[in-house]
Amino acid sequence: MVFWRCEVKLIGLTGGIGMGKSAAGDWLRARGLPMADSDQVAREICAAGSPALAEIEDRFGPEVIGDDGGLLRGELAKRVFGDERDRADLEAILHPRIREAWKAEAEGWRNDGRAVGAVQIPLLFETGAESEFDAVVCLACSPGVQQARLLDRGWDEEETARRIASQLPLKEKMERSDFVVWNESGLVELGEQLERIMDALGVADELKAA
């Protein structure tokens, strides 16, 4: 991995769906690390009246827009997770804007004199973003645990399978990452693994007690 063009050491958080990226991000944020969440960024750039939402409506039609002018995410998800071309078109609208937004956040961290920050990106490798980070941390768990977590979200088996198939295989993500956190045992064990990773990266002193 190479340094991005600022003094902030950047950590990328990725992994499979339902494997604990948000929990890891919350743990780091609670200990003082600035954190950008690409999913949250995506929601913000698709706000009612935004240029991105206008492009989405032009491409996918008014049926993905609610009466309040906002995006019907469930309706759009049905489209894009069932058709590779639709998904590619949506990604072409969103991904450049998402990357621009979190890089701007990192620039703000640099201006604030922060030594380290993290960005949560589910599709980090799929979008070719790994070269932007000093280290990539992959959250992982067994397929059985993943399935149970996604079913708990209310997704049916068909939707779960489509969403998993839309990402790189977990094995490849793990192999391409600098660190892997095996997240099945609970928040204490998750935190212990993250602490060891921060220590290995030489940024443990940036953490504060939760």
Side-chain angles (χ1 to χ4, degrees):
M1 298 296 172
V2 298
F3 278 95
W4 189 55
R5 295 184 182 89
C6 74
E7 291 84 353
V8 180
K9 182 173 285 189
L10 285 181
I11 300 168
L13 292 180
T14 193
I17 302 169
M19 294 191 174
K21 296 180 296 296
S22 295
D26 289 345
W27 189 93
L28 292 170
R29 189 181 293 109
R31 285 152 183 82
L33 265 67
M35 170 70 58
D37 181 345
S38 64
D39 285 342
Q40 178 61 36
V41 170
R43 287 189 285 271
E44 293 169 356
I45 65 176
C46 291
S50 67
L53 187 60
E55 286 192 40
I56 290 171
E57 184 174 7
D58 285 343
R59 170 60 180 82
F60 296 98
E63 59 268 24
V64 301
I65 306 298
D67 293 338
D68 62 354
L71 180 63
L72 296 175
R73 299 182 183 281
E75 188 63 35
L76 183 60
K78 292 177 184 177
R79 292 276 300 275
V80 301
F81 287 110
D83 186 289
E84 289 188 10
R85 180 176 297 178
D86 283 348
R87 189 171 72 248
D89 287 348
L90 178 63
E91 290 172 351
I93 294 170
L94 295 182
H95 287 172
R97 290 179 165 97
I98 292 170
R99 186 178 296 200
E100 180 181 2
W102 64 252
K103 288 178 72 170
E105 283 199 60
E107 180 69 11
W109 303 338
R110 183 190 70 79
N111 293 336
D112 290 340
R114 304 302 298 265
V116 60
V119 186
Q120 181 182 319
I121 309 180
L123 300 180
L124 188 150
F125 293 114
E126 291 87 340
T127 58
E130 61 264 40
S131 62
E132 305 281 2
F133 296 96
D134 299 296
V136 175
V137 179
C138 178
L139 279 292
C141 67
S142 67
V145 170
Q146 180 189 35
Q147 290 279 351
R149 289 173 177 170
L150 297 181
L151 290 173
D152 284 344
R153 293 183 182 181
W155 297 359
D156 59 30
E157 292 185 3
E158 182 179 353
E159 181 179 11
T160 295
R162 285 201 305 266
R163 296 209 181 202
I164 292 173
S166 72
Q167 296 191 356
L168 287 175
L170 178 61
K171 183 175 184 291
E172 182 173 348
K173 291 192 179 197
M174 293 170 66
E175 290 173 347
R176 293 173 63 178
S177 296
D178 299 288
F179 302 93
V180 174
V181 172
W182 194 252
N183 182 34
E184 291 194 357
S185 301
L187 292 177
V188 172
E189 291 78 7
L190 172 66
E192 289 172 348
Q193 293 178 75
L194 290 171
E195 283 181 341
R196 290 195 292 269
I197 290 170
M198 297 301 106
D199 186 56
L201 291 172
V203 296
D205 290 345
E206 300 298 320
L207 300 176
K208 65 181 182 180

